[in-house]
Amino acid sequence: MTIVVPVDSRDPDPGAIERAAACLRAGGLVAFPTETVYGLGVHALDRGAVTRLFEAKGRPSSDPLIVHVASTAQARALSVRFSPTAEALAARFWPGPLTLVLPKATVVPDEVTAGLASVALRVPSHPVALALLVAAGVPVAAPSANLFSRPSPTRAAHVLADLDGRIDMVLDSGATTVGVESTVVDLSADVPRLLRPGGISREALVAVLGSTRLEEAGPVHAGPQRSPGLLERHYSPRTPLTAYEGQASRVLERMRVDVLAAQAEGRRVGLLIFDGDAALRELHGVVMARSLGPATVLEGAATELYAALRDLDASGADVILAHGFDDVRGLGAALRDRLRRAAAGHVVTC
Ligand code: TXA
Ligand code: MG
């Protein structure tokens, strides 16, 4: 039985928080909201709890977890080398949607880091997450609270759809505010490396790093992943999805042609679009046309993206055609990355 506990995100009830904190300290599995997506938390220093977490998610144990802490001081205690760059990024972006990968301290179990010598650390800014971390008094390892390879959950209902009966508790505080996962920056080597674009933009990182170079993640290799979120077919709906990128008028024309072709073959089509894509909305026989709002409002699109993918998955469509993200400034980089992964490589450049 999974207990659902409603918690006001602006004014978290201390009783509810303490109940969840006690569950965590006792080795339980507690899903909680962060500003990015819901996380599935366990006591990070409890090897048994960490193993149960991997089982509940169906996540390969080669996939390291992010350890969530309440403060930079607590983060420093989990790394043997919290570098000046780490200090600068933490001072600017914590609490917030930035994860720093640093050389791990011995107290961090190998189960958490998939045997890597580094640990991913983050101080989330969501008031419920912070209150829970303070009350728990222990570091909390938490991946996104979805089944492995499903879209991340941005509502408590998404958590329950994937994990009801497999975890102890969900703190339900409504929709998350950022909507895509944290930016992951590897600081364990000499040159900082952007492993996963996310809630903090590359531009914002570069503004703090100054003359320090920021590398992009290279291709994914076999074996322990530098960042397994980089695997294809991660964050995916079950329904095959094709993303269309390029200039809007060309994208719309190509999507229109492809919708008609799919329907001619007897396939039911779902559409992921923007408010301005009226020409697509007028097509007959589309089972669902789900908008992410105006194409220029990336913050809005980010809060809707994963919910939209889940809605389209449930719509009965055989195929999903998605208007992709063409502008990679700001949140655009993370949005394009997630939609491309949802497309598992099926990207049409128009
Ligand atoms: O916004 C977020 O980051 C959410 C919330 C719950 O905090 N969490 C999240 O966790 O997205 P997860 O497990 O879905 O993604 C964690 C990412 C993975 O890509 C993983 O490979 C990477 O962080 N990661 C964790 N430890 C790492 C390490 N030691 N070295 C490199 N990458 C690491
Ligand atoms: Mg995840």
Side-chain angles (χ1 to χ4, degrees), residues 11-335:
D11 183 23
D13 170 47
I17 295 293
E18 183 44 44
R19 193 172 165 202
C23 184
L24 282 175
R25 282 193 301 267
L29 276 60
V30 177
F32 61 97
T34 80
E35 68 279 20
T36 57
V37 301
Y38 276 75
L40 177 56
V42 291
H43 186 332
L45 309 183
D46 179 338
R47 292 167 194 270
V50 173
T51 302
R52 286 194 291 281
L53 166 65
F54 279 100
E55 284 165 10
K57 258 193 75 112
R59 177 172 171 126
S61 59
S62 56
D63 236 7
L65 304 173
I66 296 173
V67 177
H68 297 67
V69 289
S71 67
T72 303
Q74 216 185 343
R76 286 188 197 106
L78 298 176
S79 171
V80 288
R81 190 165 51 84
F82 204 89
S83 63
T85 304
E87 293 288 354
L89 292 174
R92 172 68 184 83
F93 298 113
W94 281 355
L98 177 67
T99 295
L100 299 178
V101 174
L102 291 157
K104 84 175 188 77
T106 44
V107 28
V108 181
D110 287 338
E111 286 82 352
V112 169
T113 64
L116 296 175
S118 59
V119 62
L121 300 168
R122 149 163 142 83
V123 180
S125 63
H126 194 293
V128 172
L130 270 182
L132 179 63
L133 291 166
V134 169
V138 296
V140 172
S144 49
N146 51 287
L147 282 176
F148 182 67
S149 93
R150 298 276 297 141
S152 294
T154 51
R155 320 273 193 272
H158 301 163
V159 178
L160 290 168
D162 281 12
L163 298 171
D164 195 8
R166 302 168 76 98
I167 63 176
D168 296 298
M169 194 182 291
V170 184
L171 297 180
D172 180 356
S173 305
T176 62
T177 51
V178 177
V180 290
E181 298 84 347
S182 62
T183 301
V184 181
V185 178
D186 186 357
L187 298 177
S188 65
D190 288 344
V191 181
R193 183 186 290 258
L194 182 59
L195 294 182
R196 179 176 75 179
I200 299 292
S201 70
R202 171 177 242 285
E203 295 89 325
L205 293 172
V206 167
V208 172
L209 291 173
S211 59
T212 307
R213 196 154 51 91
L214 178 62
E215 276 183 12
E216 295 288 339
V220 184
H221 300 289
Q225 302 293 334
R226 294 207 66 151
S227 201
L230 301 171
L231 284 172
E232 281 204 350
R233 273 209 77 76
H234 210 79
Y235 313 100
S236 308
R238 295 194 174 95
T239 315
L241 181 149
T242 303
Y244 295 78
E245 293 175 1
Q247 199 238 323
S249 61
R250 286 202 299 269
V251 164
L252 295 187
E253 179 51 22
R254 177 66 193 270
M255 285 178 74
R256 194 184 68 79
V257 168
D258 285 4
V259 168
L260 297 178
Q263 288 177 332
E265 289 169 7
R267 281 181 289 173
R268 286 166 300 176
V269 176
L271 292 174
L272 183 65
I273 57 173
F274 296 106
D275 280 1
D277 300 346
L280 293 176
R281 216 187 288 267
E282 285 157 11
L283 289 172
H284 288 291
V286 169
V287 293
M288 178 183 279
R290 181 73 158 77
S291 176
L292 296 178
T296 49
V297 186
L298 295 182
E299 291 76 14
T303 60
E304 285 302 305
L305 178 63
Y306 288 137
L309 291 177
R310 284 176 180 264
D311 288 348
L312 283 161
D313 234 357
S315 72
D318 301 311
V319 288
I320 301 169
L321 277 57
H323 189 166
F325 294 91
D326 209 40
D327 185 350
V328 293
R329 287 174 294 179
L331 269 180
L335 287 165

